[in-house]
Amino acid sequence: MSMVRSIYSVLNKENPLSEYYVDIQGMNFSRGDRVIYDDVSIRIPKGKITAIMGPSGTGKTTLLRLIGGQLYPSKGHIFVNNQDVPLLSRSDLYLLRKKMGMLFQSGALFSDMSVFENVAFPLREHTNYSEDIVRDIVLMKLESVGLRGAAQLMPSELSGGMARRAALARAIALDPELVLYDEPFTGQDPISMGVVVELIKRLNDSIGLTSVLVSHDVGESLSIADYVYILSNASVIAHGTPDEIRNSEDERVIQFLGGLPDGPVPFHYPASSYADDLGLKKS
Amino acid sequence: MKRISKLGGSVFDWLEAVGRAGLLLSQSVFHLPRSIAGALSLLGKQIYSVGYLSLIIVVVSGLFIGMVLSLQGYSILVKFGSEQSVGQLVALTLLRELGPVVTALLFAGRACSALTAEIGLMKATEQLSSLEMMGVDPYRRIIAPRFIAGLICLPILSVIFSAVGIIGGEFVAVDWLGIHDGSFWSLMQQSVVFGNDVVNGIIKSFCFAIAVTWIAVYQGYECTPTSEGIGKATTTTVVLGSLSVLALDFILTAAMFGDF
């Protein structure tokens, strides 16, 4: 196995000319008997914001975990920065993750550390910066998400939206090459939402990082994304630029963007007949 | 046929769990830390939370167990006119058996259950996942300091338990029941062999520490990340930890003192 990995690592030397930071090819993934992805291919261009959208339960968060190497596909390849993630050794995977930042849906702040310490954590782990520099970087990151004044608060003292913004500051603390955002707009008031949208856009424009944005918020996502994938029923049902998606004539896309309850995408989780469940029989 | 396949499945599940537990331990402990100062700081915090905070329960339990041992020993020995040997009885019982075993049981209930719950809650709130995604190995950052703190603290707590128990025994035997303190201490000194009794007790304690702390961190790391899953993992830690201590005690006692 180690030999296979060595050969792979030689073949997978970083190719600076590659256009895609993440390249998923023919990926299959299942949880038990439930197929989450069936032969899915997704390409995330370098330096762009790619939005991944779709109904609840289609495995959008699972996709981020597959990209981050926390889950393994049953088939297919997941290339991140030209390295096939499922084939990486544990140490190589951790090296690759240093180039990534991930904003979790729950925030996932360390509950025994203040907001300041949370944001400083990756800097202290992966750099040899002096305390003064760490302090300055942390305050700059917190200022960008509007939480400089909350630096000394504990995570338990933050609202859900504030915790997610603090987690966003932590995710970008090291200025990673790839940031995975899992529902960054959830729980934000309109003002904070605007700031977060602007921040994601600005990070992309200024330092050219690659962003993968998983979100249900159609308007906000389409407003900043360069490219959009819509997932449903274990496959990609549409992809293209925001304008192409808006003008799509696919019924499933129209139903999703319009938030329509009736259409090809079922609102209900697969189930037996409602009348049978209630014990109602036709006379 | 279904039963056989279910049994086979359970055996494979168990083997897989043993393998995962082995990997967890090897990948946590058998690696040099990135920074010695950082590792010591993490270890210090865990020694405080696992060891220092368990001190009260260990001291109070040790005191009462020593007192009860002394009282029970006296009530039997006095019938044979050898009540002077009560110090010897208390010391040998505590150093060889009750010190390591009861301390390990208390440790499993007080510190290891807390370790499992803490790690399980970190898993449920995605803190372990976020560490992984930051390129920080949770085995080294979370598991290793807790495991090593357990290995350091339990033998020390066991020695403290035995010492406090002997003081409790002396209080009952000498100050209350009127046994001559010279006899109490000299008979104890005569009968207790440092290498055989004290060191063997510490070795036992160290083996118990490996078992209970390993179970605790593994249960926390592998638990189902729900409130029910964490509760179940915590209970498993205490039950499995306690049973392992008792089973290991028999094996170690047979190996150390079974040369009749």
Side-chain angles (χ1 to χ4, degrees), chain A residues 63-79:
Chain A
L63 180 70
L64 297 187
R65 290 186 182 275
L66 284 158
I67 293 172
Q70 291 190 309
L71 296 172
Y72 290 93
S74 49
K75 203 182 131 199
H77 300 281
I78 302 171
F79 291 98

Side-chain angles (χ1 to χ4, degrees), chain B residues 84-98:
Chain B
Q84 305 299 324
S85 305
V86 76
Q88 176 185 350
L89 178 142
V90 169
L92 287 178
T93 313
L94 281 170
L95 290 170
R96 285 183 173 192
E97 282 302 324
L98 288 186

Side-chain angles (χ1 to χ4, degrees), chain A residues 86-105:
Chain A
L87 291 176
L88 289 177
S89 67
R90 192 175 167 83
S91 53
D92 287 342
L93 182 60
Y94 276 92
L95 276 177
L96 180 67
R97 282 177 181 159
K98 288 180 188 174
K99 296 175 185 171
M100 297 183 194
M102 179 161 173
L103 170 63
F104 285 82
Q105 208 166 347

Side-chain angles (χ1 to χ4, degrees), chain B residues 40-59:
Chain B
L40 287 177
S41 155
L42 287 173
L43 184 61
K45 278 183 195 165
Q46 291 311 316
I47 286 177
Y48 173 81
S49 113
V50 166
Y52 180 75
L53 295 180
S54 303
L55 205 52
I56 283 289
I57 190 174
V58 165
V59 167

Side-chain angles (χ1 to χ4, degrees), chain B residues 162-182:
Chain B
S162 299
V164 173
I166 290 169
I167 292 167
E170 192 256 8
F171 171 69
V172 168
V174 176
D175 298 333
W176 182 18
L177 300 172
I179 290 173
H180 188 258
D181 61 344

Side-chain angles (χ1 to χ4, degrees), chain B residues 94-138:
Chain B
L94 281 170
L95 290 170
R96 285 183 173 192
E97 282 302 324
L98 288 186
V101 172
V102 176
T103 311
L105 295 177
L106 292 170
F107 190 78
R110 157 65 186 81
C112 292
S113 58
L115 280 184
T116 302
E118 186 190 12
I119 297 170
L121 203 59
M122 290 177 92
K123 186 177 183 183
T125 53
E126 296 185 307
Q127 292 179 49
L128 296 181
S129 292
S130 72
L131 273 176
E132 284 178 2
M133 288 306 296
M134 271 187 253
V136 178
D137 190 346

